[in-house]
Amino acid sequence: MKLFIAALGTETNTFSPIPTGRSAFEDDLYLLSDASRTSRHWFAGPMREWRRLGEAEGYEVVESLSAFAQPAGPTRQDVWEELRDRILADLDAAGPVDMALLQLHGAMVADGEPDCEGELLRAIRARLGPEAIVGVELDLHCHLTDRMVSAASVVLAYKEYPHIDVDDRARDLFQLCHDARAGRTRPVVAVADCRMLGVWRTPQEPVRGFVDRMSAAEGKDGVLSLSFVHGFPWADVPEVGAKIIAVTDGDAHLARRTASHLAEEIWTLRDRTTERLLGLDEAVQMALSPPDGLTVLADVSDNAGAGSASDSTFLLRALVNAGARRCLTGCYWDPVAVRICMDAGEGARLSLRIGGKTSPMSGDPVDLHVRVLALRRDAFQTFGNGKQAMGDTVLLEADGLHLVLNALRTQTFHPDAYTQFGVALRDYDTVFVKSAQHFNAGFAPEADRVVYVGVEGSASPDFASLHLPSAARPLWPIVDNPFAIDPIRQGAA
Ligand SMILES: [Zn+2]
């Protein structure tokens, strides 16, 4: 029995000013065949799980590429083709394969390919034939396409946002595919289109209850697996938007009915799952007159995890102008400023131009007189069961305001992005992070409150204003009721 495994991911924000080239993968995760044995990267977690589980069940494990790039703009066509061809060449060289498991993001767009994962899966299925089992794990922020679903035997997505269940879902997928390969089940996949753009935070009600009900229904009455695909709104591609996946044991009608019911439930909950974010002035006011305890504020509009630059200065400039104190803010992607600080050394005082370098969506740079409090070379932060590289990283002080700058673009995932410098979150009244939700897993347990802030930026949460002419059907909240405009959608997955 032969098991083939590979991992390929990036999340493409088609509005991002940053192109995704080869170095974006090499800087983050790019291992040709041994990530399961050598990498601590969170995206390689499923590869570690599949090797362990596969070998325990007596499979010969053939491991291919593991590659991940920080979310940004479209991937260069030649880079995407090289990544795809690397996996397909490994598959060709593997000989007959019984089962293939793929860890894919599902929102990768190349210059000439709006559905990279669909094309990869189509090519894999064409090579393996109809009998092989092809299992696919997706980030819930994917664009689920008909091409992906029709090529896969089983497809599922992370259930949690923040993504704390990447390895759990990898184990689910292994078991589902292993059972199908052994003939114990006959998975059938159906998809329902929610026709919605949004952000759903799974620790919060009513989303928490929805996810828990979905999980509780799995493994019973013929239902094998259920996923709520949130979708990734910042991409002008045909299948952008939220969807439900239902996998049942041989019952296509049950799969379709279950997916439709869950999609209807998400649609019905839309007013309760829509949140009002703080504006810039309200966030600055909170930093100036902080409530008791520790407040963590998330700058969701400049989230590198959604393809933003992570160097925007709209909030920073306002905090500086207002004279905010006992306030920590980061992580600003600014390799030039970090390099200058590295050369100046710990304790140095200097004038530094910070952020605002990537595009007008990041605002203008902010000039500050800073003191270098601490430096870390090749820093890492925690994400889920793995690690995320930050590059060289520096903690600065400017008139009572503390800032963390780093050389390798990443969102702020975890408090250790800050506390590795020897500071504690409780040293501050307000702590700002450039992240939309992943920070929540580590920061929320330490904070008295978590507040989400929406300002200008390439990941602005103003979904109603997104320009998505390629979307193949009307979507809420761009329109109030997409089902009233286009009640019958032909060819829906
Ligand atoms: Zn995601």
Side-chain angles (χ1 to χ4, degrees):
M1 291 192 301
K2 201 173 280 180
L3 167 62
F4 180 87
I5 58 175
L8 175 60
T10 187
E11 182 182 65
T12 303
N13 178 332
T14 61
F15 306 101
S16 171
I18 304 167
T20 301
R22 201 172 198 289
S23 62
F25 291 92
E26 290 167 345
D27 282 350
D28 211 313
L29 173 65
Y30 185 81
L31 290 168
L32 295 184
S33 62
D34 59 356
S36 71
R37 293 192 172 106
T38 61
S39 175
R40 299 185 297 162
H41 198 290
W42 65 271
F43 195 73
M47 301 291 277
R48 296 189 287 269
E49 289 301 308
W50 294 337
R51 173 172 291 283
R52 183 178 65 78
L53 294 165
E55 288 178 348
E57 292 289 351
Y59 287 90
E60 178 195 343
V61 179
V62 179
E63 180 167 352
S64 180
L65 181 71
S66 285
F68 184 85
Q70 273 302 313
T75 300
R76 274 173 43 167
Q77 184 70 12
D78 60 329
V79 173
W80 141 244
E81 288 177 0
E82 185 192 332
L83 295 165
R84 176 197 65 193
D85 292 347
R86 165 76 57 178
I87 293 173
L88 295 177
D90 286 348
L91 188 60
D92 289 339
V97 165
D98 303 284
M99 188 159 103
L101 298 179
L102 287 307
Q103 149 83 336
L104 305 174
H105 186 288
M108 180 178 183
V109 178
D111 290 328
E113 175 56 71
D115 175 21
C116 293
E117 291 88 345
E119 170 55 19
L120 176 65
L121 289 167
R122 184 205 59 74
I124 288 173
R125 175 58 79 189
R127 279 165 169 74
L128 293 183
E131 299 304 319
I133 301 297
V134 177
V136 182
E137 177 172 1
L138 297 168
D139 190 302
L140 57 78
H141 297 115
C142 62
H143 316 301
L144 188 68
T145 66
D146 294 358
R147 203 160 48 152
M148 291 180 200
V149 174
S150 58
S153 314
V154 178
V155 54
L156 55 73
Y158 313 155
K159 283 190 169 61
E160 302 292 341
Y161 184 44
H163 301 332
I164 54 175
D165 63 329
V166 177
D167 292 0
D168 298 326
R169 298 291 80 80
R171 288 188 285 274
D172 289 352
L173 184 68
F174 180 88
Q175 194 59 49
L176 289 165
C177 290
H178 180 56
D179 287 344
R181 195 209 54 76
R184 289 189 285 273
T185 57
R186 198 163 59 84
V188 176
V189 183
V191 174
D193 188 353
C194 304
R195 298 189 183 182
M196 300 171 77
L197 302 169
V199 165
W200 288 268
R201 304 183 192 284
T202 57
Q204 298 174 8
E205 293 295 355
V207 190
R208 180 71 264 148
F210 177 84
V211 173
D212 288 343
R213 288 193 296 283
M214 205 167 58
S215 301
E218 291 178 326
K220 289 179 201 144
D221 305 323
V223 174
L224 297 176
S225 170
L226 300 171
S227 301
F228 171 30
V229 168
H230 300 196
F232 181 68
W234 298 277
D236 183 27
V237 293
E239 294 298 333
V240 61
K243 296 180 183 178
I244 301 284
I245 307 169
V247 185
T248 63
D249 188 3
D251 189 338
H253 180 67
L254 175 66
R256 282 196 297 273
R257 201 175 64 221
T258 306
S260 294
H261 281 167
L262 291 171
E264 225 172 277
E265 198 179 334
I266 284 295
W267 171 250
T268 306
L269 291 172
R270 66 192 178 284
D271 289 337
R272 292 176 60 204
T273 55
T274 303
E275 58 188 358
R276 199 191 81 79
L277 277 61
L278 245 56
L280 185 134
D281 291 343
E282 294 167 297
V284 172
Q285 196 51 47
M286 194 167 255
L288 287 181
S289 315
D292 287 344
L294 172 64
T295 304
V296 173
L297 299 100
D299 178 3
V300 306
S301 309
D302 192 30
N303 171 26
S308 293
S310 198
D311 76 339
S312 110
T313 54
F314 299 110
L315 271 165
L316 175 61
R317 181 174 299 283
L319 291 169
V320 169
N321 288 346
R325 301 279 191 281
R326 287 179 55 84
C327 173
L328 171 64
T329 174
C331 297
Y332 296 87
W333 178 48
D334 195 332
V336 173
V338 169
R339 173 60 192 261
I340 290 169
C341 293
M342 284 285 169
D343 286 339
E346 286 186 358
R349 293 175 188 273
L350 67 159
S351 294
L352 196 63
R353 177 159 283 197
I354 297 169
K357 298 189 173 79
T358 313
S359 84
M361 287 184 280
S362 291
D364 294 324
V366 173
D367 289 296
L368 293 177
H369 194 71
V370 303
R371 184 162 56 107
V372 180
L373 296 179
L375 303 165
R376 295 287 180 272
R377 289 215 180 265
D378 293 324
F380 283 84
Q381 58 177 330
T382 301
F383 180 43
N385 293 329
K387 295 287 177 187
Q388 175 68 49
M390 301 177 71
D392 292 345
T393 302
V394 54
L395 174 68
L396 305 174
E397 188 265 333
D399 224 2
L401 187 69
H402 285 189
L403 303 92
V404 172
L405 277 54
N406 65 315
L408 207 56
R409 194 171 62 88
T410 171
Q411 69 182 284
T412 313
F413 278 116
H414 191 274
D416 59 15
Y418 297 156
T419 58
Q420 65 185 300
F421 291 105
V423 298
L425 297 185
R426 294 266 166 194
D427 294 343
Y428 307 93
D429 296 323
T430 49
V431 171
F432 285 76
V433 295
K434 286 182 179 290
S435 174
Q437 180 65 353
H438 291 317
F439 75 96
N440 188 287
F443 281 86
E446 301 204 29
D448 294 287
R449 66 199 63 77
V450 171
V451 179
Y452 298 89
V453 186
V455 298
E456 290 178 63
S458 53
S460 162
D462 182 5
F463 302 121
S465 299
L466 282 173
H467 184 57
L468 304 175
S470 300
R473 69 281 190 223
L475 294 164
W476 175 92
I478 296 174
V479 300
D480 283 343
N481 187 346
F483 300 98
I485 293 172
D486 177 20
I488 303 166
R489 183 183 169 220
Q490 301 296 332

